[in-house]
Amino acid sequence: MPQLNLEIVTNLPVVRHDKHVILVGTGSPRTIHETNRLSFLGRDYPVQTQYAGANLPELRNKTGIRDLTTLMGMDVLTGYKVVFDYAGSRMVFDTEPVDFAGSVLPLELIQGIPVLLVECQGRKIRMFLESGAKLSYIAPGVCNGLNPQGVVQDYYPGLGFFETQTYDLDLHTGGVEFQLRCGNLPARLTGLLDNAGVQGIIGSAFFHRFKACLDASNRMLFVS
């Protein structure tokens, strides 16, 4: 069972392999690396040096991970059963089934990104699962009637820094309940999610709350 030490850097999951400093980002369809080839756990992967307007200098600025060499996206992650164990400070990347006790949540993949169908405020909505997002997000209309919890600053490649009001929301999926503090994305980014049929982003707080195993190839997420 190949496993790597997990560091939480600026609230994001980072593993080190050989000389690579890797941010594990389930919300990115593609891997961004210093070169066009990534060697990881004995395999070589064709990857990109930039994608959708993002490159490493901008990602270092966005994340605050100054020595970042790699954003590992779903083009690589889908080939593994990936265990996020924040409490145990480890991540597992296994090509074989992982023995993992917990609830099973069905996944969709939209544009290669894992999506959970959740119930929130009496509505069923789809949310991207993004381990590389510091903050979670929800469509503005879902927050109607909720008490604001304060304005925070975030960053998005191609858009730069922006401020958003946050709200606490109770979410339910597959018999699992959890609370997220969510911001509202700027209109430009909300439109991009709408085009994919998605109304929010589940960020890093989810992985602080649950130990999770992502099995994207079989469309499953295990949590405990």
Side-chain angles (χ1 to χ4, degrees):
M1 183 183 294
Q3 63 179 3
L4 298 174
N5 291 334
L6 171 65
E7 303 172 39
I8 305 301
V9 182
T10 66
N11 206 34
L12 299 173
V14 173
V15 295
R16 297 177 186 266
H17 178 263
D18 292 337
K19 297 181 180 179
H20 308 321
V21 179
I22 302 169
L23 168 60
V24 181
T26 59
S28 176
R30 297 286 181 267
T31 295
I32 302 173
H33 184 55
E34 292 178 312
T35 66
N36 289 317
R37 189 158 294 275
L38 170 66
S39 178
F40 182 71
L41 296 177
R43 297 185 177 191
D44 285 338
Y45 296 92
V47 293
Q48 301 176 211
T49 57
Q50 58 181 358
Y51 176 72
N55 54 37
L56 281 173
E58 189 164 12
L59 288 170
R60 291 175 186 134
N61 185 38
K62 171 193 174 185
T63 62
I65 306 169
R66 300 306 176 193
D67 54 351
L68 184 70
T69 66
T70 313
L71 167 64
M72 183 175 287
M74 291 303 298
D75 53 341
V76 173
L77 294 172
T78 300
Y80 297 93
K81 282 68 174 172
V82 185
V83 176
F84 296 79
D85 184 0
Y86 281 28
S89 299
R90 68 179 190 130
M91 290 194 69
V92 174
F93 298 83
D94 207 331
T95 56
E96 300 297 326
V98 174
D99 185 13
F100 193 100
S103 300
V104 182
L105 307 181
L107 284 177
E108 297 178 62
L109 292 182
I110 297 179
Q111 300 174 356
I113 302 172
V115 171
L116 286 174
L117 179 65
V118 305
E119 185 174 335
C120 178
Q121 295 285 91
R123 300 167 57 176
K124 290 187 176 180
I125 60 176
R126 288 179 171 85
M127 300 182 73
F128 283 129
L129 183 66
E130 166 57 303
S131 59
K134 295 181 181 181
L135 184 64
S136 300
Y137 286 93
I138 201 77
V142 181
C143 302
N144 290 342
L146 296 180
N147 294 323
Q149 299 298 317
V151 174
V152 300
Q153 187 181 72
D154 205 357
Y155 181 93
Y156 192 85
L159 183 66
F161 288 96
F162 62 91
E163 291 187 339
T164 179
Q165 183 61 259
T166 58
Y167 303 86
D168 288 338
L169 291 108
D170 294 317
L171 307 179
H172 311 262
T173 180
V176 174
E177 301 180 4
F178 56 101
Q179 187 179 80
L180 285 180
R181 179 158 293 183
C182 297
N184 292 149
L185 285 171
R188 174 180 165 188
L189 300 180
T190 301
L192 293 176
L193 265 63
D194 285 343
N195 290 339
V198 175
Q199 293 79 44
I201 297 170
I202 297 173
S204 61
F206 179 88
F207 298 93
H208 284 281
R209 170 66 178 81
F210 297 105
K211 180 180 177 182
C213 176
L214 175 64
D215 183 359
S217 63
N218 290 308
R219 309 293 199 272
M220 292 187 294
L221 179 73
F222 302 85
V223 297
S224 66

